[in-house]
Structures are given as C-alpha cells and as structure tokens.
Amino acid sequence: MADVRLTGVKKSFGAVEVLHGIDLDIADGEFVVFVGPSGCGKSTLLRTIAGLEDLSGGTLEIDGRVVNDLSPSDRGIAMVFQSYALYPHMSVYENMAFGLKIAKADKVEIDRRVRAAATVLNITDYLDRKPKALSGGQRQRVAIGRAIVREPQVFLFDEPLSNLDAALRVKMRYEFARLHEELKTTMIYVTHDQIEAMTLADRIVVLNAGVIEQVGAPMDLYEHPRNLFVAEFIGSPKMNLIPAELVENLARSATVRTEAGDIVTVAVDASSGKAGDRVTLGVRPEQLGLTEPGSPITAEAVFVETLGNTTFAYLTYSGLAETLTVQLSGTVRPKTGDHLTLHVAADQAHLFGTDGNAFPRP
Ligand code: ADP
Ligand code: MG
C-alpha cells in the first residue's frame, strides 16, 4: 500500500511538451481514474509513474520516497496494459508465476501467490489451460493476475477493457470494483470512457492537452463541473450548452437571455461578470423538465427516441448548432413537430462565463 504524489510533473518528447506540470496527490488505497480525450497524455502520465518514461521535470513520490531515478521494477508498482500479451505456450499458472520465477522467488511462495490471485479473479478452474483456450475476459483476468502476484504497492491500468466487447466491458468493470474492494491497494486506472470513470473512481482526474482540468469525486464533477470542458466531458448524454447573454448578475442569481429570447434565471454568483457578456447556459438532459419550477424555454422536437423506460427528445433551439437533448420519463412520448415548454430549474442549471469557467454557486 502506498500514496503517490506528483509535483510539477512535466514530460516532453523532443521539443514537444505533452505534460505541462501535473500536481496530484493520490491517497493510500485510493482508486483514481485518469480520463480525457485521446492524445491528452493519460498513457504518458501513467508510464511516467511506472518509470517507463523519464520525467522532464518535477518530482514523483511513491510511499513518501522520491522515485524519479528508480527503475520500474524498484518502484513497487505493477502495470496492466490494454493488450495483455500472454505467453501462448505457457499455462495460466505458468503465465502468472513467470515474473516471480525470474525474480527467483521461493517455489512455495510462488504457489501461494498464484493460487491466491486465481481465487480473487475466479480463474482457479483454468490454471492448467493455455491462453488460446480462454475467452477475452478470462485472458484479461490472467493479465491482471500477473500483476497481483507481484503484490505491488500501486496498480496501474492503461485502458484494460478497451479490447473487450461492450457486454464484457460492463462485467469486467464490476470485477475491477470488486478487485479494489478486496485488495484495497492504491489503483490508478486510465480510460477514455467516462462511464468507466464514473462507476469505478473514488476520484476522477480529468485531463485535457497535458493539464488537469479538474479532480474530484464522480458526482462532484457531475454536479459541479469547473469549466465547459469538464461539463461536456462528464455525463452521457452530454450537458446541453446554450449560448446566452448575461442580463443581470446579482450575487445570488444571474439572469440570461438566450438567442431564442427566453429569459432564464440561474442560482449562481455571477458578480465577476457584467451585463452584456456572452455566457453559456448549461443544463443536463434529465434536468429539463416539462413541469415547474424553473424558467420556461420553448423548442420544437425534431426527433424522438422512445426506449421504454426513458424517452429522449431532440429539439431545435435557436443559437444551437446541435439539437437540445431532453430526457423524459418513458411514459411521456412527444411527437416530431411538437413544441415543448421545458423548465430550467435555477439551482440545477450551470452558467459559464466568457472564459469558460463556471460561475460559483452562491
Ligand atoms: P492518451 O493516452 O491520452 O491517448 P498519450 O499519452 O498516448 O495520450 O499521448 C499524449 C501525446 O504525446 C500525444 O500527442 C502523443 O502523440 C505524444 N506521444 C506519446 N508517446 C510519444 C513518444 N514516445 N514520442 C513522441 N510523442 C509521443
Ligand atoms: Mg493512451
């Protein structure tokens, strides 16, 4: 078990800096998920922690010890990649034991660790099989098993579920949650999938172009995104972002006018802005209600999806390039062409200033 502390961590490849000074404290036993769009630096950050890449600047500490110059094998970490490359000619048992054998561990100890890991991962029945006789999910478990037997202080996972089909991903997601509950070891998990991030993380780190946009518990990011980037990235379907003009900015509430002319009041402190500012009103699809309370806006349905338990309506709204997405109860089934009056509750809507940062709640 160990905590991990990054201070001003930078990484360049040649002249190109891809990590621009990352500060992050990960507590002992925490499950932290790095999430962000492709190419934002998630893998580079993880590989830097693993020691597979040198730091270009800053300090990395694991369990209170500066490890900048330590080799990967001396850092007490184990990493699992998306492509799990098992040795095809070895059994599951041999695959899991291999690293310990190379490290000249005691045979009895190797056996104890392999069997313990197999029990945790529910692969005890497959120990004698070769990888080709396993399903994709079972193979990924063996790859995780190889990491577990090393009894690391920190697990690093780089998109471990990306190669699996959708149904298996859901199942394995649960397995990771269970694994963490059982082992209680510090885990750092990289994904571009915000649902994986939301369901697994104690805390999510949202990365964008080599900088941290926000760190927080999943619901904290969902309910209090710090800026437009996080607001758009966290949540599926996405938050509706409506261009608007600031009309009144009091300390406890702000009023905006959308391009369609609707007047919406939001419970934020927009005193740092000024009337006339171009701002962005943010409302999640499930927070646009057909009933009061809230400021009404009217839009026309152009497409309706009835999923049974839920109805999604997509509406045209002046000023929006894309449609407005509304999530309604499954019993509500508007038709294409219907004009819906939707209510924006003041304490649920978000307001982002001209700089893209959210105005705080009062
Ligand atoms: P992510 O995992 O978030 O998709 P990466 O960490 O793989 O992103 O990459 C971040 C950026 O660093 C990308 O622009 C990528 O092209 C660049 N990069 C990654 N590894 C190397 C490398 N070995 N040499 C040069 N550029 C690299
Ligand atoms: Mg990556």
Side-chain angles (χ1 to χ4, degrees), residues 37-44 82 158-159 190 192:
S38 179
C40 70
K42 303 181 295 296
S43 294
T44 303
Q82 174 184 342
D158 193 355
E159 308 223 15
V190 164
H192 63 271

Short mmCIF file of all heavy atoms in Angstrom, two decimals, residues 37-44 82 158-159 190 192, ligand 2:
data_model
loop_
_atom_site.label_atom_id
_atom_site.label_comp_id
_atom_site.label_asym_id
_atom_site.label_seq_id
_atom_site.Cartn_x
_atom_site.Cartn_y
_atom_site.Cartn_z
N PRO A 37 -9.78 12.99 -23.44
CA PRO A 37 -9.84 12.58 -24.85
C PRO A 37 -8.53 11.94 -25.30
O PRO A 37 -7.49 12.10 -24.66
CB PRO A 37 -10.10 13.88 -25.60
CG PRO A 37 -9.71 14.97 -24.67
CD PRO A 37 -9.86 14.44 -23.27
N SER A 38 -8.61 11.22 -26.39
CA SER A 38 -7.44 10.55 -26.96
C SER A 38 -6.33 11.57 -27.22
O SER A 38 -6.58 12.66 -27.71
CB SER A 38 -7.88 9.87 -28.25
OG SER A 38 -6.78 9.24 -28.83
N GLY A 39 -5.12 11.22 -26.81
CA GLY A 39 -3.97 12.09 -27.07
C GLY A 39 -3.73 13.15 -26.02
O GLY A 39 -2.81 13.96 -26.15
N CYS A 40 -4.51 13.16 -24.93
CA CYS A 40 -4.37 14.23 -23.93
C CYS A 40 -3.22 13.98 -22.97
O CYS A 40 -2.85 14.87 -22.21
CB CYS A 40 -5.67 14.42 -23.16
SG CYS A 40 -6.06 13.07 -22.04
N GLY A 41 -2.66 12.76 -22.99
CA GLY A 41 -1.49 12.48 -22.15
C GLY A 41 -1.72 11.49 -21.02
O GLY A 41 -0.87 11.34 -20.15
N LYS A 42 -2.84 10.76 -21.05
CA LYS A 42 -3.16 9.81 -19.98
C LYS A 42 -2.10 8.72 -19.88
O LYS A 42 -1.57 8.45 -18.81
CB LYS A 42 -4.53 9.15 -20.24
CG LYS A 42 -5.69 10.13 -20.38
CD LYS A 42 -7.01 9.40 -20.62
CE LYS A 42 -7.10 8.63 -21.92
NZ LYS A 42 -7.03 9.47 -23.12
N SER A 43 -1.82 8.08 -21.02
CA SER A 43 -0.84 6.98 -21.01
C SER A 43 0.54 7.49 -20.63
O SER A 43 1.27 6.83 -19.88
CB SER A 43 -0.78 6.29 -22.37
OG SER A 43 -1.99 5.64 -22.64
N THR A 44 0.89 8.66 -21.15
CA THR A 44 2.20 9.22 -20.84
C THR A 44 2.34 9.45 -19.34
O THR A 44 3.37 9.13 -18.74
CB THR A 44 2.41 10.53 -21.62
OG1 THR A 44 2.26 10.26 -23.01
CG2 THR A 44 3.79 11.12 -21.36
N GLN A 82 -3.66 -2.47 -22.12
CA GLN A 82 -4.80 -2.84 -22.95
C GLN A 82 -4.55 -4.15 -23.69
O GLN A 82 -5.39 -5.03 -23.73
CB GLN A 82 -5.04 -1.69 -23.94
CG GLN A 82 -6.09 -1.95 -24.97
CD GLN A 82 -6.17 -0.77 -25.95
OE1 GLN A 82 -5.70 0.33 -25.67
NE2 GLN A 82 -6.75 -1.01 -27.09
N ASP A 158 -3.82 0.65 -17.87
CA ASP A 158 -3.99 1.54 -19.02
C ASP A 158 -5.05 0.97 -19.96
O ASP A 158 -4.79 0.05 -20.72
CB ASP A 158 -2.67 1.74 -19.76
CG ASP A 158 -2.75 2.90 -20.76
OD1 ASP A 158 -3.85 3.47 -20.92
OD2 ASP A 158 -1.72 3.22 -21.36
N GLU A 159 -6.24 1.51 -19.90
CA GLU A 159 -7.38 1.10 -20.73
C GLU A 159 -7.50 -0.42 -20.81
O GLU A 159 -7.54 -1.00 -21.89
CB GLU A 159 -7.25 1.69 -22.15
CG GLU A 159 -7.00 3.19 -22.12
CD GLU A 159 -7.81 3.97 -23.13
OE1 GLU A 159 -8.77 3.40 -23.68
OE2 GLU A 159 -7.50 5.15 -23.34
N VAL A 190 -6.55 4.22 -16.22
CA VAL A 190 -6.70 5.15 -17.34
C VAL A 190 -7.82 4.67 -18.26
O VAL A 190 -7.90 3.48 -18.58
CB VAL A 190 -5.40 5.25 -18.16
CG1 VAL A 190 -5.65 5.88 -19.52
CG2 VAL A 190 -4.35 6.05 -17.39
N HIS A 192 -10.67 6.32 -21.60
CA HIS A 192 -11.28 7.47 -22.27
C HIS A 192 -12.80 7.39 -22.11
O HIS A 192 -13.52 8.22 -22.62
CB HIS A 192 -10.87 7.51 -23.75
CG HIS A 192 -11.36 6.33 -24.52
ND1 HIS A 192 -10.63 5.17 -24.64
CD2 HIS A 192 -12.52 6.11 -25.17
CE1 HIS A 192 -11.32 4.30 -25.33
NE2 HIS A 192 -12.48 4.82 -25.67
MG MG B 2 -3.43 6.02 -24.03
#
